[in-house]
Each structure stands twice: as C-alpha cells, then as structure tokens.
Amino acid sequence: MCVSCSGRHWREFEKRTEVLHLTGQAKPDMASLTLGSMNFAAGTSVSSVELILLMAETMQKLKIKPELEVFDLGMIGFAGYLERKGCLQGRKYFNLMLGSLGQIPATVGNLAVMINALPGNSFWAAAGLGHFQLSMNMAALVAGGGVRVGIEDYFYMDFARRTLATNEALVKRIVRLAHEIERRVATPAEARELVGLGGARKYREGDDVFFPRPDKKQHSC
C-alpha cells in the first residue's frame, strides 16, 4: 500500500501528510517523498527543505518507507543529505522520473547517469512521463532495474494517442517485454524484499496505533 504526498495540489504540511495517518487496511507501507520543488506543465510542486525533512521524519516515526521521487539529478544528492541526517535508513527505494517539462530529459544516457549517482543499498525503478513512458520502461528493463508504469504517467498505449491505456494493459505489456528479454518478473513477496519492506504485509483488526505529528520546529532524525 503506497500513498501520495505530492505537492501538486497542497503545500501545507498537514494536508500533505494527512494520508500517512490512514489506519486499518488502508494503513500505508510506503509513501511518496518528492526530493525537491519542480514545475509541471499545469502547475508547480513546492517542497522546501524544511517540509521534506518534516515529511521524512513523520514517515520514519510511522514506520512508512519513503518512495523517493527523483525528477532531476540534484534530488539524488538531496537523498544523501537525508541519509546523513538519519532520516533515511536501510534499503532506499528510488523512482527515477524522466521527461517532465523542465526536468531531466528522458534519454538512456541520462538514466545511466542517475543510476550511477544512486547511493549504496538502493533499489530503483524508472518511468518516462508522457509519451516517454514506453521507451524509459524498456530502458529500465535492459538496465536491470524496476519499472514504474501506469496511466498516472501517460493515458495512451501508443505514440499516436489513438488507443487509451488501462493500468492492466500497461502492466501486461511490460510483463510481455520482460519475458522477451528473459527477465523474470518478481512476485509480490520478492518485490517487497527488493524495496526493503521485508516479508508479507500483515494486518489484524485493532493493531492500528496513532502517532502524533512532530513539532514543526524541530527535527529528531
């Protein structure tokens, strides 16, 4: 279970972290943590250093693994800063997002640079935004990483935008392409191990615990 703390619609800490406090079967294992501010074609996502630290700290206290969202090379460097501050520990999971307007262009060379810049004990998946989705997914398959795919990144199955996509169809295509180059697809349990979540998700009614939000003026991690 992975939730979004994106800054595309809200900038306030309380609104962006509200989803971290979901309970029951909706209690998240992971949450997105965008490692910097950036522009989209239809708006701006603002993530200050102070806000990123607070969100990372909250995820750590709630035992939620950050899904580290990287849209440019400098964001990988910021992950190293969080690790030095103690806000990231153990296996780190990176989503390398290429092709967004004003961010790192979607090329195989840029993907290689990003992979080489990752800190130790990291697992990564790559995505291409817009019509770069398929090409970057294929590059990720060849490079030996994971793949992020879905209609959040592109609505179509083809470059000509004639065929609307579904998540199911996009995933099935990636599975077929993986088999074509003889890459085995991970099971759900193996995927959890790869991203650093450990064994199978465990849930029992009544196990939920409330964690108060941290003081915004201090960083304990």
Side-chain angles (χ1 to χ4, degrees):
M1 182 69 71
C2 182
V3 296
S4 175
C5 297
S6 170
R8 294 184 71 172
H9 301 292
W10 296 290
R11 299 186 182 186
E12 299 88 348
F13 168 77
E14 289 79 10
K15 287 186 176 180
R16 289 181 62 174
T17 58
E18 184 177 15
V19 71
L20 300 179
H21 299 273
L22 290 170
T23 60
Q25 291 181 323
K27 183 176 174 61
D29 298 290
M30 304 180 73
S32 65
L33 182 64
T34 304
L35 298 176
S37 300
M38 57 173 295
N39 292 319
F40 289 98
T44 302
S45 174
V46 178
S47 296
S48 67
V49 171
E50 175 82 4
L51 182 60
I52 297 171
L53 283 167
L54 283 169
M55 290 196 297
E57 183 180 72
T58 303
M59 292 177 193
Q60 188 177 63
K61 288 187 175 182
L62 294 173
K63 296 181 171 53
I64 297 171
K65 176 169 285 293
E67 179 191 42
L68 301 169
E69 305 284 354
V70 171
F71 293 83
D72 222 332
L73 197 58
M75 294 186 183
I76 296 176
F78 195 83
Y81 169 75
L82 290 180
E83 191 167 28
R84 291 191 297 274
K85 293 279 289 184
C87 296
L88 295 178
Q89 297 176 340
R91 174 63 63 91
K92 294 164 288 295
Y93 174 57
F94 287 86
N95 259 338
L96 307 180
M97 317 285 283
L98 295 88
S100 184
L101 181 65
Q103 309 303 311
I104 194 165
T107 68
V108 173
N110 283 338
L111 177 60
V113 170
M114 296 178 85
I115 294 168
N116 288 331
L118 294 175
N121 197 19
S122 295
F123 182 76
W124 62 271
L129 303 182
H131 62 269
F132 299 112
Q133 178 166 247
L134 180 58
S135 58
M136 286 296 98
N137 285 170
M138 293 182 69
L141 286 176
V142 173
V147 171
R148 167 187 158 122
V149 67
I151 59 174
E152 181 181 355
D153 297 335
Y154 196 46
F155 298 126
Y156 301 95
M157 296 295 296
D158 56 338
F159 294 121
R161 300 185 178 184
R162 295 192 182 97
T163 306
L164 285 172
T166 66
N167 284 326
E168 180 182 13
L170 290 168
V171 170
K172 284 183 174 179
R173 181 170 66 181
I174 287 299
V175 170
R176 175 176 58 79
L177 292 170
H179 289 162
E180 288 288 338
I181 62 171
E182 298 187 8
R183 281 202 64 192
R184 187 174 65 82
V185 177
T187 66
E190 288 170 336
R192 289 182 65 87
E193 292 290 346
L194 286 170
V195 302
L197 287 174
R201 178 181 170 98
K202 296 180 176 65
Y203 169 74
R204 293 183 303 169
E205 193 72 44
D207 280 351
D208 305 307
V209 178
F210 171 76
F211 292 85
R213 293 182 175 88
D215 184 341
K216 293 183 160 182
K217 297 180 181 179
Q218 298 180 357
H219 305 298
S220 61
C221 66

